[in-house]
Amino acid sequence: LAHVGNDTVEFFKSTGELLAFIGESVIAFMNLLRGKAQYRKSDLLLIIESCGAQALPIVGLISFLVGSILAFIGAIQLRLFAAEIYVANGVGIAMVRLMAAIMTGIVMAGRTGGAFAAQLGTMQVNQEIDALKTLGISPMEFLVMPRMLALALMMPLLCLYANVMGILGGMVVGVFMLDLSVIQYYNQTVNSVDLWNLGIGLFSGIVFGIIVALSGCMRVMQCGRSASAVGDAATSAVVTAIVGIIVSTAIITVLCNMLGI
């Protein structure tokens, strides 16, 4: 019973810390909208470059392979009914609606969320965050808010790029393995994918970007002042981001089904 009680206390403590961190993030974002946030635009541009252009190769490779895998899996069943052409439908809807956003979110959680945790964790160890507080500069506005904003802006664009690469991967399988023509595959994809599917995928991308940034920054603000604490914070940030992405995917899927989208 004592163990269960301790777990319950830890759960409520973690929940309270999460809500407090989200509240501080909202305040920092409101200050940004009012033009009173303390941050450097050059830092924001560098973070955008790191989260955007530099992530294109890995996101493109993963999305291309995922699209190819979906096409292979679909072809195995659809061949039984001589309906290989519908591989284009399955790959297009799956990638545009959620798979591109999920895979991009997981890649960014490991690539960018871990990097955020390592960067800010090192600043925590070197007492740079304490120095910002001493100078009257909010770490939430100076460090956290630019990273959240950069990921929220870049994730939808990365999702669009992932959509294209995933569909291209499915097209390669359809053309070279299923004897479909490029025009057939293209027309089938265009007819099956609508704006609702695209909108759900882009909205999911924004949500996943915020989750990755929140996870990476929140764990660092809670970490200690040693090298091992920074490593633990980075690991915890990646795990928290991936779990958050999966949970939010389930919530978005249920809501879309309830709304009939």
Side-chain angles (χ1 to χ4, degrees):
L1 291 177
H3 181 69
V4 173
N6 291 333
D7 290 343
T8 304
V9 171
E10 287 296 325
F11 172 77
F12 283 109
K13 181 181 178 181
S14 300
T15 303
E17 291 175 348
L18 174 60
L19 294 177
F21 190 84
I22 292 175
E24 293 177 1
S25 302
V26 171
I27 293 173
F29 184 71
M30 294 301 294
N31 289 335
L32 172 67
L33 295 180
R34 294 188 300 167
K36 296 183 179 181
Q38 297 173 306
Y39 73 102
R40 291 188 298 192
K41 293 182 180 179
S42 58
D43 289 345
L44 176 61
L45 294 177
L46 288 174
I47 297 170
I48 287 176
E49 180 184 0
S50 175
C51 298
Q54 295 181 10
L56 289 177
I58 183 64
V59 170
L61 175 62
I62 295 298
S63 300
F64 183 87
L65 294 177
V66 168
S68 303
I69 293 169
L70 290 175
F72 272 118
I73 294 173
I76 293 174
Q77 295 300 316
L78 292 173
R79 272 178 174 170
L80 301 176
F81 308 97
E84 293 93 339
I85 186 63
Y86 291 104
V87 166
N89 298 56
V91 173
I93 294 174
M95 291 300 300
V96 171
R97 190 176 180 94
L98 271 181
M99 283 303 298
I102 292 174
M103 297 310 302
T104 303
I106 291 175
V107 169
M108 296 304 286
R111 180 189 179 278
T112 304
F116 286 173
Q119 293 166 2
L120 300 185
T122 304
M123 294 180 70
Q124 181 83 293
V125 172
N126 293 335
Q127 298 182 345
E128 296 176 50
I129 294 179
D130 292 338
L132 289 175
K133 295 177 181 177
T134 302
L135 294 172
I137 299 174
S138 171
M140 294 298 299
E141 295 179 5
F142 195 81
L143 299 175
V144 177
M145 187 270 298
R147 286 166 170 77
M148 290 181 57
L149 183 60
L151 268 179
L153 291 175
M154 288 296 102
M155 277 293 292
L157 300 179
L158 289 174
C159 287
L160 286 175
Y161 175 69
N163 291 337
V164 174
M165 295 303 296
I167 292 173
L168 183 61
M171 181 181 291
V172 169
V173 174
V175 171
F176 292 100
M177 303 293 295
L178 305 178
D179 296 327
L180 303 176
S181 69
V182 175
I183 300 300
Q184 279 180 311
Y185 196 98
Y186 172 79
N187 290 334
Q188 199 71 18
T189 301
V190 171
N191 292 332
S192 61
V193 177
D194 56 25
L195 290 178
W196 280 111
N197 293 324
L198 181 61
I200 292 171
L202 296 181
F203 173 76
S204 300
I206 296 173
V207 173
F208 297 163
I210 294 173
I211 289 174
V212 170
L214 273 176
S215 301
C217 298
M218 182 185 70
R219 293 304 183 186
V220 169
M221 297 302 179
Q222 300 171 349
C223 80
R225 299 182 183 275
S226 64
S228 62
V230 175
D232 293 339
T235 302
S236 179
V238 175
V239 173
T240 302
I242 293 175
V243 172
I245 287 171
I246 301 302
V247 171
S248 59
T249 299
I251 294 173
I252 292 172
T253 303
V254 171
L255 290 177
C256 289
N257 287 334
M258 292 174 61
L259 296 174
I261 302 176

